[in-house]
């Protein structure tokens, strides 16, 4: 599993011009599910997302996690994160999880996020989404498990 996390001042996701999820300060997580990913990997990645220290402390050092600041978490499925871009000029998606498996694991990730964190918003799996964000920093990391 891969999560591209972005520290944001605010973020939202829309489908057909309707906002379906939004947060204020927190993390935007673009989530990619690959073949072989399972619930154990989802939990491991979620724990990493929630504990990853990317927010400034009193000394302006990246030392606080999403949990520490009680920020929002916006989770958006991102099929293209599973792409293999090593060869040629066109991405290969052969390493991506099949749609049903990907959706099930995405939903599991979100369900567990709701159990572990108070402020969780989402996009819509498989939809054509428009994501708007104010990247704070900018701070962006790719997390993998």
């Amino acid at each position: 599993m891969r999560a591209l996390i972005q520290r944001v001042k605010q973020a939202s996701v829309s489908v057909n011009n309707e906002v379906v999820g939004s947060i204020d300060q927190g993390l935007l997580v673009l989530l990619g599910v690959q073949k072989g990913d399972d619930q154990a990997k989802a939990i491991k990645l979620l724990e990493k997302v929630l504990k990853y220290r990317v927010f400034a402390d009193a000394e302006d050092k990246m030392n606080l996690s999403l949990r520490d600041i009680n920020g929002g978490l916006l989770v958006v499925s991102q099929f293209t994160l599973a792409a293999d871009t090593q060869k040629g000029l066109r991405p290969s998606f052969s390493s991506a999880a099949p749609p049903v498996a990907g959706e099930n694991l995405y939903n599991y990730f979100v369900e567990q996020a709701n159990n572990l964190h108070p402020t969780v918003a989402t996009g819509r799996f498989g939809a054509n989404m428009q994501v708007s964000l104010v990247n704070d920093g900018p701070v962006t990391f790719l997390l993998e498990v």
Side-chain angles (χ1 to χ4, degrees):
M1 289 189 90
R2 292 179 177 161
L4 184 72
I5 63 170
Q6 296 180 301
R7 186 178 74 185
V8 297
K9 292 211 180 266
Q10 63 184 27
S12 65
V13 60
S14 300
V15 177
N16 295 326
N17 295 317
E18 173 193 350
V19 174
V20 296
S22 67
I23 60 167
D24 291 320
Q25 182 185 26
L27 291 176
L28 168 63
V29 175
L30 303 175
L31 187 67
V33 181
Q34 299 172 292
K35 288 179 182 171
D37 288 343
D38 57 20
Q39 290 182 350
K41 284 186 178 182
I43 289 294
K44 186 174 180 180
L45 183 60
L46 175 59
E47 285 290 340
K48 193 169 187 177
V49 166
L50 294 175
K51 294 177 182 177
Y52 213 67
R53 298 182 306 169
V54 298
F55 295 93
D57 63 13
E59 296 174 6
D60 205 30
K61 295 188 188 231
M62 275 194 224
N63 206 24
L64 300 176
S65 70
L66 186 67
R67 282 183 169 161
D68 294 331
I69 68 153
N70 200 27
L73 179 66
L74 177 57
V75 184
V76 177
S77 62
Q78 177 99 28
F79 171 73
T80 59
L81 277 178
D84 179 356
T85 59
Q86 297 296 312
K87 297 179 186 174
L89 299 176
R90 183 175 179 193
S92 168
F93 297 103
S94 61
S95 60
V100 171
E103 184 173 13
N104 288 341
L105 210 45
Y106 168 81
N107 288 336
Y108 180 78
F109 184 95
V110 169
E111 177 184 309
Q112 296 307 307
N114 278 308
N115 290 337
L116 296 172
H117 194 72
T119 307
V120 179
T122 66
R124 227 176 255 159
F125 187 91
N128 183 359
M129 297 175 278
Q130 288 70 51
V131 179
S132 299
L133 67 139
V134 177
N135 192 321
D136 183 17
V139 172
T140 303
F141 295 98
L142 179 62
L143 305 180
E144 296 183 85
V145 294

